[in-house]
Amino acid sequence: MSEILFDRIALIGIGLIGSSIARDIKKFGLAREVVISTRSAETLNRAEELELGTAYTTSAAEAVKNADLVIVSVPVGASEAVAQQIAPHLKAGAIVTDVGSTKASVIAQMAPHMPENVHFIPGHPLAGTEKSGPDAGFSGLFKGRWCIFTPLPGTDRAALERLSSFWKALGSMIDEMDPQHHDKVLAIVSHLPHIIAYNIVGTADDLEAVTESEVIKYSASGFRDFTRLAASDPTMWRDVCLHNKDAILEMLARFSEDLAYLQRAIRWGEGDKLFELFSRTRTIRRSIVQAGQDVDSPDFGRHALDK
Amino acid sequence: MSEILFDRIALIGIGLIGSSIARDIKKFGLAREVVISTRSAETLNRAEELELGTAYTTSAAEAVKNADLVIVSVPVGASEAVAQQIAPHLKAGAIVTDVGSTKASVIAQMAPHMPENVHFIPGHPLAGTEKSGPDAGFSGLFKGRWCIFTPLPGTDRAALERLSSFWKALGSMIDEMDPQHHDKVLAIVSHLPHIIAYNIVGTADDLEAVTESEVIKYSASGFRDFTRLAASDPTMWRDVCLHNKDAILEMLARFSEDLAYLQRAIRWGEGDKLFELFSRTRTIRRSIVQAGQDVDSPDFGRHALDK
């Protein structure tokens, strides 16, 4: 299934996401040239050692020259700086996309800088792991996962189709929504879970009555499930919190309200209320497994691995 | 490594935990006879179909007769009723233990009923999955996991050693602590994570702006990690909440306080505070992996499975 979709692709940022894209481009032969750019010389060297592209530069401006597709994979807070650097050097007709976890903010940061003659199509592949950096990437990360576009009004459908073909070649399924809705959806399915996970791990770390070594020893009884998300890239998640503030604060308010209700039920020994909540949440997991978005094996299937 | 440790073992309750114990007893040949008892005739039939024991009865009183070891594996709220049923029929010198997730409450429920001439040793194997019932059990569930005893003052050390040998034969590591400390430790490493997971899944289920099908479709971006715990047995978790109330409420208060701090940092755009918290939580996961209490593979290693 090898077909060249773009002559030259520029990857700005080569962390978990960028390097996974690079590996898939190479594996499926989707481009003749892949120029890789990242600010850190050290990371760039590592990308070269891993042979992730065909050319390497610390200059984003340099990287995008003559590129038909530019994929920006940086923490969302760096979007505007990248847009400013690359804008004057973009090829006419080029497609510029990103992979950021928040969309309204990325659009506000990048769109004003984009020249009229390029296709700026904001995107978000819903894939990742708790690891970061170019070594953490792997081919197949996007397989079976959703990629959401939040195109601006008046976006060229042909360019959108071309970008869709690229993500489909990586195994993704495509969705489209407006940026505000995307940010609300992601606030609940991704941002809130990460924030809650960071928070509970922080709470456990701060206890005086229970030692850290006890938390670690006995973590298999539930706690460890949270530590995976809480091990995610701090820069990326700081930026997500700062750049999807309104939707996140709304979800946090709802979560806290629900938690207060639950807490009250515990305090007053209202077993029926607890049982009702604890029963209906089972259904959702069943649906997720049926939708192919998680494995059905107990303990995420890790039981076989953790021996 | 087959050695008969007890002539006759009675298992009261044959769900995930009870049936996993039964499978290991059989596999390692740890007893001559295994009498299985559960209130539900249907579950008992299933246990017999699975050939989990050597005798089957819906009467707990009947089951414990002549048993050298009695293991009570029921939701903690049912502990007193079981204690009342079995007390008059226990063999002199028998060891009676349980597997409950809360210990002070189980002791308060069971100890007053226990005859002088039996060894009542409360225990808690820290193992389980999100599945429940006799079909969910499997041999090896306790391997590499901790089993915590919370012995009462004056407990016979020889009896404790004998019970330890049993759990060690199942692959467990043994710890000992007082019941109050156990309940605090478990409140943070197990009870709070489950309650938080139930809560966030409930919050997501209630949203109007985001549909349930969106939550399910995009769950791989973080949310799905919580749904596993939130699929756990509702009866068991209702009872845990009701029977470890004080420690849980204390942990919930701390968690909410920390979350308010985090929420404020998001509202006021305090990136440094967010970055600091998001960085230190990484260390804990690393320690858990090093301690052999979780797998190091990204996504709990399920990536390979979920394709």
Side-chain angles (χ1 to χ4, degrees):
Chain A
M1 58 173 285
S2 157
E3 185 197 355
I4 291 171
L5 298 175
F6 293 94
D7 260 354
R8 187 184 177 104
I9 297 178
L11 300 177
I12 314 298
I14 195 71
L16 167 70
I17 300 296
S19 75
S20 295
I21 296 173
R23 285 174 169 91
D24 274 345
I25 293 173
K26 194 172 171 181
K27 180 176 176 187
F28 300 121
L30 304 174
R32 269 182 241 283
E33 293 172 84
V34 178
V35 190
I36 289 171
S37 174
T38 182
R39 281 191 312 178
S40 144
E42 198 188 330
T43 310
L44 195 67
N45 280 339
R46 187 59 193 148
E48 192 164 1
E49 279 168 21
L50 294 168
E51 300 179 7
L52 297 177
T54 58
Y56 306 86
T57 169
T58 52
S59 158
E62 194 62 38
V64 302
K65 279 178 188 160
N66 285 315
D68 306 288
L69 172 64
V70 176
I71 306 178
V72 179
S73 315
V74 300
V76 290
S79 305
E80 180 155 30
V82 168
Q84 283 171 326
Q85 287 159 30
I86 65 174
H89 309 281
L90 291 166
K91 179 179 169 181
I95 296 174
V96 178
T97 189
D98 79 307
V99 302
S101 307
T102 77
K103 297 271 59 91
S105 164
V106 166
I107 292 170
Q109 290 180 67
M110 294 188 70
H113 301 285
M114 290 295 116
E116 285 280 321
N117 62 359
V118 308
H119 306 287
F120 172 52
I121 306 173
H124 180 201
L126 272 59
T129 77
E130 67 276 24
K131 313 267 177 173
S132 43
D135 285 283
F138 55 93
S139 176
L141 176 62
F142 308 102
K143 202 176 157 194
R145 296 283 159 248
W146 291 94
C147 182
I148 303 177
F149 296 126
T150 60
L152 302 170
T155 294
D156 182 65
R157 296 308 300 187
L160 192 57
E161 279 308 312
R162 234 184 130 194
L163 185 58
S164 295
S165 307
F166 175 80
W167 282 104
K168 283 181 189 161
L170 271 51
S172 291
M173 305 172 288
I174 307 295
D175 246 340
E176 222 176 284
M177 53 179 81
D178 74 69
Q180 286 69 27
H181 187 64
H182 167 278
D183 288 358
K184 259 193 213 295
V185 171
L186 268 290
I188 188 69
V189 297
S190 176
H191 307 170
L192 188 63
H194 279 82
I195 290 166
I196 295 304
Y198 279 123
N199 194 66
I200 195 173
V201 176
T203 302
D205 194 28
D206 283 342
L207 293 175
E208 312 85 28
V210 178
T211 67
E212 192 177 300
S213 81
E214 286 176 318
V215 169
I216 291 161
K217 269 168 85 172
Y218 308 129
S219 60
S221 47
F223 183 73
R224 64 175 176 168
D225 277 21
F226 291 75
T227 59
R228 188 184 82 78
L229 295 182
S232 303
D233 184 34
T235 307
M236 170 185 165
W237 284 98
R238 177 200 60 199
D239 280 9
V240 167
C241 287
L242 300 176
H243 291 270
N244 194 22
K245 190 172 91 170
D246 293 344
I248 288 173
L249 288 176
E250 186 193 329
M251 295 306 166
L252 269 172
R254 282 172 174 267
F255 173 86
S256 296
E257 201 174 290
D258 292 342
L259 192 61
Y261 175 86
L262 215 164
Q263 189 168 336
R264 194 175 183 282
I266 293 172
R267 190 178 300 280
W268 294 97
E270 299 173 322
D272 291 354
K273 280 187 184 162
L274 298 173
F275 188 81
E276 192 272 323
L277 171 64
F278 298 174
S279 303
R280 77 184 162 101
T281 50
R282 267 195 155 171
T283 322
I284 294 199
R285 175 148 187 93
R286 212 171 298 131
S287 309
I288 288 174
V289 170
Q290 275 164 9
Q293 294 296 314
D294 209 342
V295 296
D296 190 28
S297 345
D299 272 323
F300 299 123
R302 66 185 164 198
H303 194 83
L305 296 166
D306 70 359
K307 286 297 131 73
Chain B
M1 56 173 286
S2 159
E3 185 197 355
I4 290 172
L5 298 176
F6 294 93
D7 259 354
R8 187 184 178 105
I9 298 178
L11 299 176
I12 313 300
I14 196 72
L16 168 69
I17 300 296
S19 75
S20 295
I21 296 173
R23 286 173 169 93
D24 274 345
I25 293 173
K26 193 171 172 180
K27 181 175 174 189
F28 300 122
L30 304 175
R32 271 182 240 281
E33 294 173 84
V34 178
V35 189
I36 290 172
S37 174
T38 182
R39 282 191 312 179
S40 145
E42 198 188 329
T43 309
L44 194 68
N45 280 340
R46 187 59 192 146
E48 190 163 2
E49 279 168 21
L50 293 168
E51 300 178 7
L52 296 177
T54 56
Y56 306 85
T57 168
T58 52
S59 159
E62 194 61 40
V64 302
K65 280 179 190 160
N66 284 315
D68 306 288
L69 172 65
V70 176
I71 306 178
V72 178
S73 316
V74 301
V76 290
S79 306
E80 181 155 29
V82 169
Q84 283 171 326
Q85 287 159 31
I86 64 174
H89 308 282
L90 291 167
K91 177 178 169 181
I95 295 174
V96 178
T97 189
D98 78 308
V99 302
S101 307
T102 75
K103 297 269 61 89
S105 164
V106 166
I107 291 169
Q109 291 180 68
M110 294 187 71
H113 301 284
M114 289 297 114
E116 285 280 320
N117 62 358
V118 309
H119 305 286
F120 172 52
I121 306 174
H124 180 202
L126 272 59
T129 76
E130 67 276 24
K131 313 268 177 171
S132 43
D135 284 284
F138 55 91
S139 176
L141 176 62
F142 307 102
K143 202 177 158 194
R145 297 282 160 250
W146 290 95
C147 181
I148 302 177
F149 296 126
T150 59
L152 302 170
T155 294
D156 182 65
R157 297 308 299 186
L160 192 58
E161 279 308 311
R162 230 181 135 196
L163 185 58
S164 295
S165 306
F166 176 80
W167 282 103
K168 283 181 189 161
L170 270 52
S172 290
M173 304 170 290
I174 307 295
D175 247 341
E176 222 176 284
M177 53 179 82
D178 73 70
Q180 286 71 28
H181 187 64
H182 168 278
D183 288 358
K184 260 194 212 294
V185 171
L186 269 289
I188 187 69
V189 298
S190 176
H191 308 169
L192 187 63
H194 278 81
I195 290 166
I196 296 302
Y198 279 122
N199 194 66
I200 196 171
V201 176
T203 301
D205 195 30
D206 283 341
L207 293 174
E208 312 86 27
V210 178
T211 66
E212 191 177 302
S213 81
E214 285 175 319
V215 169
I216 289 161
K217 267 168 87 171
Y218 308 130
S219 59
S221 47
F223 183 74
R224 64 175 174 167
D225 277 21
F226 291 75
T227 58
R228 187 184 82 79
L229 294 182
S232 305
D233 184 34
T235 306
M236 170 185 166
W237 284 98
R238 178 200 61 199
D239 280 9
V240 167
C241 288
L242 299 177
H243 290 271
N244 194 22
K245 192 173 91 168
D246 293 343
I248 289 174
L249 288 176
E250 186 194 328
M251 295 305 166
L252 269 171
R254 282 173 173 266
F255 172 87
S256 297
E257 200 175 290
D258 292 343
L259 191 62
Y261 175 86
L262 213 165
Q263 190 167 334
R264 194 175 183 280
I266 293 173
R267 190 178 301 279
W268 293 98
E270 299 173 320
D272 291 354
K273 280 187 186 164
L274 299 172
F275 187 82
E276 191 272 324
L277 171 65
F278 298 175
S279 303
R280 78 185 162 100
T281 50
R282 265 193 157 173
T283 321
I284 294 197
R285 176 149 186 91
R286 213 170 299 132
S287 309
I288 288 174
V289 170
Q290 277 164 7
Q293 293 297 315
D294 208 344
V295 295
D296 189 31
S297 347
D299 273 323
F300 300 122
R302 66 186 165 199
H303 194 83
L305 297 166
D306 68 359
K307 285 298 133 72

